[in-house]
């Protein structure tokens, strides 16, 4: 029994310490939600930082990766309007313009007039952008897989399902 207690104590994390502190001063509160969301926040932040490091190796930020990746996964001819990109990435048009400027300057995409709308533009991934995003997405997935190395396939399926259910209930 002492071994179980030692293993449990060793598996405590910073979120457990925070919830224990709250329990000490406010035992009337149910801190279970804090335990869940505290961990989700910390995981998201740590993985966000890890992904930024991965994509920086390719000369792009996570936000810039999102733009090029959105074009790539849209399928050939890898072209969307700035408005479609903004809607997909939940960005303002101003925020999108800055990203497009940097990515165009880097030779990863081009902007051209929309042949179907005189006032519109089309954004298209370049061959260089296509090669870069294919490498970067692979490297990103390797980093994500490394973070999940302690889980087997069945556990990943369960975790995915639970997170999908949680996401559906979040306002």
């Amino acid at each position: 029994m002492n071994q179980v207690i030692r293993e449990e104590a060793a598996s405590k994390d910073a979120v457990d310490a925070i919830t224990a502190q709250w329990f000490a001063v406010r035992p009337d509160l149910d801190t279970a939600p804090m335990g869940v969301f505290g961990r989700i926040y910390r995981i998201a932040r740590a993985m966000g930082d890890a992904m930024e490091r991965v994509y920086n190796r390719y000369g792009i930020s996570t936000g810039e990766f999102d733009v090029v990746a959105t074009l790539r996964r849209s399928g050939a001819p890898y072209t969307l309007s700035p408005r479609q990109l903004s809607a997909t990435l939940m960005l303002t048009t101003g925020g999108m313009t800055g990203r497009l400027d940097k990515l165009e300057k880097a030779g990863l995409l081009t902007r051209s007039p929309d042949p179907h709308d005189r006032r519109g533009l089309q954004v298209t991934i370049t061959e260089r952008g296509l090669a870069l995003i294919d490498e970067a997405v692979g490297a990103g997935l390797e980093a994500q897989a490394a973070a999940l190395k302690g889980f087997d396939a069945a556990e990943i399926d369960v975790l995915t399902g639970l997170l999908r259910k949680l996401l559906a209930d979040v306002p």
Side-chain angles (χ1 to χ4, degrees):
M1 195 57 128
N2 287 338
Q3 179 65 23
V4 171
I5 293 170
R6 279 195 301 272
E7 286 176 8
E8 186 176 305
S11 69
K12 299 286 185 186
D13 62 17
V15 177
D16 289 319
I18 292 167
T19 57
Q21 289 171 328
W22 275 113
F23 181 77
V25 297
R26 289 288 309 274
D28 58 306
L29 296 176
D30 175 9
T31 58
M34 185 184 293
V36 170
F37 289 101
R39 287 180 181 88
I40 289 172
Y41 173 78
R42 287 167 181 254
I43 291 165
R45 186 154 184 200
M47 285 308 298
D49 291 347
M51 300 311 291
E52 194 69 40
R53 287 189 299 275
V54 168
Y55 300 142
N56 282 341
R57 296 193 318 242
Y58 297 91
I60 57 176
S61 67
T62 300
E64 293 156 356
F65 168 88
D66 289 342
V67 172
V68 182
T70 299
L71 289 166
R72 173 64 168 112
R73 67 177 191 267
S74 73
Y78 314 112
T79 299
L80 295 170
S81 71
R83 177 167 284 144
Q84 289 170 310
L85 284 166
S86 292
T88 299
L89 299 172
M90 298 183 294
L91 275 177
T92 65
T93 54
M96 180 57 66
T97 299
R99 287 185 191 178
L100 294 178
D101 288 346
K102 184 171 181 202
L103 292 165
E104 188 171 37
K105 185 176 180 182
L108 302 178
L109 56 81
T110 60
R111 287 182 274 197
S112 57
D114 185 335
H116 307 293
D117 179 358
R118 291 185 316 148
R119 298 171 296 157
L121 289 175
Q122 290 183 327
V123 179
T124 305
I125 195 171
T126 62
E127 288 297 320
R128 181 174 177 208
L130 191 62
L132 180 133
I133 201 63
D134 283 349
E135 278 190 51
V137 75
L141 286 168
E142 286 176 17
Q144 291 169 349
L148 294 171
K149 71 180 179 281
F151 296 89
D152 64 32
E155 290 171 322
I156 291 171
D157 286 345
V158 169
L159 181 58
T160 299
L162 292 170
L163 291 171
R164 183 181 298 113
K165 182 177 177 180
L166 176 61
L167 184 59
D169 289 339
V170 173

